[in-house]
Amino acid sequence: MNELTIGRPYITETEGKARLCSMITGEQAPYEMWFEVDASYKPYLCTERADAFVLALLFYCLKHGYNIQSETAVSKQLYYKLTFEYIPTLGNHTEVFQPFQILAPLTSEKLSSAGAVGTGVSGGVDSFFSILKHLNMNPEMADYELTHLTFFNTGSHGDFGGEEARKLFIERQKRAQQLADELKLPLISVDTNISEFIQMPFLPTFSIRNLSAVLALQKLFARYYFSSGEPVFCFHLDATDNATYDL
């Protein structure tokens, strides 16, 4: 079976931005994959784990049958959930996807976290529900109260990435900032070039693509809420829309 290798993550910084990067190698030319944030969030970018890049490549490998090889450790909990549940479920019970292996050193060592609690702010009904549900909570639930909002360029502004998608991301970010200001919460914007690499439609892959950006900042977040697009009683495997099975 063919294989993609995730190189050891590293951080670069330029013009007030910081990037978590990894060189992805395989049959194609080496590709520098990155997640970019404001430089103030540089301390929270996670070079100690390959988790973000594993998720970024997950659906690409499900589609093409490539194994993932990582030079850096993967969190044991993530490895377990993907290897024993997510990958075999989709790979064995859909016609579009096929199982693959994640070959990496594993670790259960806990990373220090700033304790942030986040969720996305797209401006839609789903995200507003998650936001309002986690504001002004009872004092005993204070550690579940939202502290940050996020806005990602992981495919919702253009399935396959590129400059037009990035322009739309920057334009829509202004609205997200207005909403964050009104709610008096900081907004973290994450740009990335994962869409340009995987070249897949967003709808069948959106939750994992978004969560790859969250795990790029896993030294910031203690909790992250992701709005479900479908109620649980509609659960079914549909390779064209991952809202139907991602609870």
Side-chain angles (χ1 to χ4, degrees), residues 13-31:
E13 190 172 3
T14 182
E15 297 179 353
K17 301 288 186 180
R19 284 184 176 182
L20 175 67
C21 308
S22 174
M23 197 61 70
I24 309 300
T25 56
E27 288 186 321
Q28 56 276 83
Y31 185 83

Side-chain angles (χ1 to χ4, degrees), residues 39-59:
S40 61
Y41 289 101
K42 177 183 174 182
Y44 307 111
L45 292 173
C46 184
T47 58
E48 296 91 339
R49 304 282 185 273
D51 298 351
F53 298 99
V54 169
L55 285 194
L57 295 171
L58 184 73
F59 273 101

Side-chain angles (χ1 to χ4, degrees), residues 143-161:
D143 52 345
Y144 286 80
E145 177 105 7
L146 275 179
T147 63
H148 292 73
L149 299 175
T150 63
F151 193 69
F152 300 148
N153 184 27
T154 50
S156 61
H157 315 293
D159 299 61
F160 310 114

Side-chain angles (χ1 to χ4, degrees), residues 81-94:
K81 298 294 285 186
L82 294 179
T83 299
F84 288 86
E85 296 177 6
Y86 205 85
I87 292 170
T89 298
L90 292 181
N92 294 322
H93 300 287
T94 67

